[in-house]
Amino acid sequence: MTELDPEARALIVHTRLRDGPTAADRARLRERLAPLWAAERAAQSTQRGLPLTAARGRLRWITALLLATSSFWRSDNPASHSPAPVVVNVGDEAARLPADGMLGATAGPTPRLEDEKPPSVAQDGTALQSAPGATVASRSPAVGSRGVRSHQAPPVAAAARRAAVANRDSRSVQPTAANAAATRAPVSETLAAAGTPLASGAKAATQAVSQASCQSGALGGSAGSPTSADLLGDRSCLHPAANSGKGVSKPERSVKAVAAGLAKRASGGSGRGDGLTPAGSDASAVAAGLVAPGRTEDIAPAKRAHELTPQAIDDELQWVGAARDALDRGQPSRALGLVQQHAFRYPQGALALERRAVQALALCALNRRTPARSVLADLQRLAPTSPLVARVRQRCEL
Amino acid sequence: MRSIALSSPTGAQLSCATEAAPERETREALAVEEVYEAHFDFVWRTARRLGTPESQVDDVVQEVFVVVQRRLAEFEGRSQLKTWLFGITRRVVLANIRRHGRQQRISLDELAELADPSCQDAESQLMADEDTQLMYSLLDELSADKREVFVLAELEELSGPAIAEALDLQLSNVYARIRVARRAFAAALQRHRLRTGRR
């Protein structure tokens, strides 16, 4: 049997005795893992429930996250204001989503899972209701879908969707019918496969409201903001296009009205960006033409070639949005855990740049400057002209 | 004080007396938090010793325990929990290496930055870290299969049967690999001595 000399043995013994994690390591990882474990438990318990119940639970969770992000966004942007709340019908109940984005924070009933009744819907699966200027009707999407209630989705969500669809067809700037069909088909198939009529209105509503919210809120971030809002806030919100108006169903017309109404109340017009797409184009096709400046041209084509379904984008938003929120709450360890989850699931996702930016900021907050520099270098390599690079460098003083 | 394993691990040498978790928990009794508290050290060490750079070990360990939570229901107790955890850690480490590639070993100047400022004897700690870094450097010179068996046998002091279970090998193959791994480690140490002028 091969024996090791005394020096080798001493080195082995030393490693056994001295090498290992500290109590701080243990506590830090525990803090990072706690929310992930809780989320996994929630996901597992949701999946075990009835399909419609699970869908509503997931929808509510996604909506709460996006609304929270929206509120956070506006609080850091002095150029924004609070548009009128959007009333959304879920089944037979109307949930009034407060303008400040905090679900349940203001007066108005919040539908509870146990209180919900089977929705009364039309044959096309949509419950239609209109109110002057500020009402969107939508139906809860089915199991496995990531349809989001019509609400004031945050600019990041809107920008992410736009960038994601843009990545799918980076050469396309103007909307085309092919883009519209390609973007809409996966959602249709998913919802149809789940046994629920397509909530095309919901998707179009989401995008239209997102566009309006983008105009109202995403104006380049606020000066002196100590949080990551300004880091992610300077995405130009290009002028959105509502539905083409050709052969749209009732929900889409309502969405168009809402988007127009909200857009009028929005402050500033710099969100128009380069105004690539005229109003009236198909919402999903328009997304293909909305490209954040300095984004896709900095990324190699191979890195854009990945699945960009609405479900995947929503999932990415959950992780990156939660990480950003954790960072702003002064929980950089938790933020790191969340961005790591995003990186594991979507290494080349639509929000890969934002993830890296949040990761770098979190590492800086933990005084881990060497890995922060590494992440920043990675970010710079991928998107050298992105404002995220300058922001991270400024915040971290790297 | 642990005994030094100078002979081949033929005896029932259980490892890691510092971890008090029962070896064969039932599926119903396990919660991921319990597994974490009992085996965090082992997972952390294994992640480092299998080649995870220090800057990435947090991410790897986190991912391991996320996977553990997802797959805990599948653990039926037919194997030791530690060997099951080793398998997960190993896969996560390999995936991480594929994603990030192998990092350069940090310099001693950077090592000085990492020294615990609260430690009164910073120099001794720095020297201790140098020895640990030397071990990691030598492990880096081993191939993946030799590294794994060396870590389990020499550093974790697992028994032969436990190593066979962890690596899905025949017991005879385990002992053969241990011999080869020791030989490779000794050669790596000898090369280090030649580089540094020590004999």
Side-chain angles (χ1 to χ4, degrees):
Chain A
M1 179 61 64
T2 302
E3 293 292 342
L4 296 171
D5 64 21
E7 183 179 351
R9 280 288 156 204
L11 188 59
I12 290 171
V13 172
H14 168 84
T15 302
R16 279 196 220 126
L17 297 177
R18 299 297 297 269
D19 180 39
T22 63
D25 293 327
R26 178 185 286 262
R28 183 177 64 249
L29 265 296
R30 190 188 302 114
E31 185 186 350
R32 282 172 63 163
L33 282 163
L36 304 178
W37 289 335
E40 183 66 23
R41 284 195 184 98
Q44 289 174 355
S45 61
T46 300
Q47 288 172 2
R48 282 192 293 268
L50 295 174
L52 191 56
T53 304
R56 286 173 177 161
R58 192 178 294 268
L59 173 64
R60 183 172 297 109
W61 191 72
I62 294 172
T63 304
L65 175 67
L66 292 174
L67 288 175
T69 308
S70 175
S71 168
F72 159 82
W73 177 259
R74 274 199 295 277
S75 67
D76 288 295
N77 191 340
S80 67
H81 71 290
S82 300
V86 177
V87 177
V88 177
N89 287 331
V90 178
D92 288 333
E93 299 179 353
R96 191 170 185 82
L97 304 179
D100 64 359
M102 297 305 293
L103 190 63
T106 60
T110 300
R112 297 183 302 166
L113 197 62
E114 53 271 26
D115 292 338
E116 291 186 2
K117 304 171 187 174
S120 61
V121 298
Q123 287 298 320
D124 61 356
T126 58
L128 306 180
Q129 194 175 61
S130 61
T135 303
V136 173
S138 67
R139 170 178 161 75
S140 300
V143 170
S145 75
R146 296 288 184 153
V148 180
R149 281 185 197 163
S150 301
H151 68 287
Q152 301 163 16
V156 170
R161 285 198 179 90
R162 288 191 296 273
V165 182
N167 287 341
R168 288 184 59 202
D169 186 3
S170 61
R171 293 172 298 176
S172 170
V173 175
Q174 293 296 330
T176 64
N179 290 340
T183 305
R184 185 167 289 175
V187 175
S188 307
E189 291 167 0
T190 301
L191 294 177
T196 305
L198 168 64
S200 59
K203 184 175 186 298
T206 301
Q207 294 203 0
V209 178
S210 302
Q211 294 153 6
S213 173
C214 176
Q215 280 193 324
S216 67
L219 299 178
S222 57
S225 168
T227 65
S228 61
D230 57 341
L231 179 73
L232 300 175
D234 56 359
R235 289 273 179 109
S236 294
C237 289
L238 305 181
H239 178 60
N243 294 319
S244 61
K246 297 179 181 178
V248 296
S249 61
K250 274 190 178 181
E252 293 174 336
R253 288 202 193 94
S254 299
V255 166
K256 191 176 178 181
V258 171
L262 291 175
K264 285 181 182 176
R265 281 189 282 271
S267 64
S270 58
R272 283 180 177 268
D274 59 359
L276 291 176
T277 52
S281 307
D282 184 272
S284 58
V286 165
L290 300 177
V291 178
R295 177 76 165 91
T296 56
E297 55 269 24
D298 291 327
I299 303 175
K303 293 190 183 299
R304 292 196 288 266
H306 65 278
E307 185 181 0
L308 288 172
T309 63
Q311 295 87 340
I313 295 169
D314 285 338
D315 197 36
E316 288 195 57
L317 282 171
Q318 293 178 26
W319 293 110
V320 177
R324 188 182 59 188
D325 293 342
L327 186 62
D328 293 327
R329 285 194 303 269
Q331 297 174 320
S333 294
R334 180 168 297 191
L336 275 183
L338 293 167
V339 298
Q340 198 271 343
Q341 284 299 308
H342 177 270
F344 181 78
R345 287 170 173 77
Y346 305 101
Q348 305 298 339
L351 301 185
L353 292 185
E354 288 78 3
R355 176 192 74 228
R356 287 179 172 86
V358 174
Q359 183 182 10
L361 288 174
L363 290 168
C364 290
L366 292 170
N367 203 26
R368 294 171 61 185
R369 302 180 66 77
T370 301
R373 284 194 201 97
S374 172
V375 173
L376 179 60
D378 200 27
L379 180 61
Q380 188 164 9
R381 177 179 57 81
L382 289 172
T385 62
S386 168
L388 292 173
V389 175
R391 295 300 176 92
V392 171
R393 186 172 286 123
Q394 178 188 7
R395 291 295 173 201
C396 289
E397 298 178 359
L398 293 176
Chain B
M1 183 75 175
R2 293 179 187 169
S3 60
I4 299 175
L6 294 178
S7 58
S8 61
T10 55
Q13 292 184 4
L14 298 179
S15 64
C16 301
T18 54
E19 292 157 2
E23 289 295 335
R24 292 183 184 273
E25 296 88 343
T26 61
R27 180 173 54 182
E28 291 76 12
L30 281 176
V32 66
E33 289 86 354
E34 296 171 0
V35 176
Y36 179 87
E37 294 302 327
H39 298 286
F40 169 78
D41 286 16
F42 170 72
V43 171
W44 194 98
R45 288 194 305 267
T46 301
R48 281 287 282 136
R49 292 169 180 175
L50 291 184
T52 304
E54 188 166 4
S55 61
Q56 297 168 16
V57 68
D58 276 9
D59 296 342
V60 168
V61 171
Q62 175 185 296
E63 187 56 38
V64 167
F65 282 103
V66 169
V67 173
V68 165
Q69 186 196 26
R70 287 200 195 114
R71 298 182 53 190
L72 208 51
E74 303 169 10
F75 179 69
E76 299 175 351
R78 288 181 296 193
S79 63
Q80 292 186 6
L81 183 60
K82 185 173 288 184
T83 56
W84 184 70
L85 289 172
F86 176 83
I88 295 174
T89 306
R90 179 179 175 222
R91 283 188 289 275
V92 173
V93 167
L94 289 176
N96 183 71
I97 289 174
R98 277 195 295 270
R99 271 201 304 272
H100 294 98
R102 292 188 179 274
Q103 283 191 355
Q104 294 285 343
R105 183 62 54 187
I106 63 175
S107 68
L108 291 181
D109 289 337
E110 289 173 311
L111 186 59
E113 290 181 24
L114 297 173
D116 184 359
S118 66
C119 177
Q120 294 181 356
D121 192 357
E123 184 176 354
S124 63
Q125 180 171 359
L126 184 60
M127 291 178 62
D129 288 333
E130 286 181 15
D131 285 341
T132 305
Q133 291 301 321
L134 172 59
M135 170 58 79
Y136 284 127
S137 295
L138 298 178
L139 289 175
D140 283 345
E141 295 190 36
L142 302 181
S143 64
D145 54 348
K146 295 188 187 72
R147 184 173 190 158
E148 289 171 353
V149 73
F150 188 87
V151 165
L152 290 176
E154 298 293 344
L155 297 178
E156 292 297 332
E157 298 181 280
L158 291 189
S159 64
I163 296 174
E165 184 181 9
L167 300 180
D168 194 21
L169 295 173
Q170 297 291 328
L171 189 58
S172 57
N173 289 346
V174 168
Y175 296 137
R177 282 204 189 182
I178 290 174
R179 283 195 294 272
V180 172
R182 284 174 174 169
R183 208 175 295 139
F185 181 82
L189 183 58
Q190 182 62 19
R191 286 192 296 273
H192 170 74
R193 288 168 184 157
L194 292 175
R195 282 195 299 268
T196 57
R198 296 168 51 201
R199 288 188 180 272

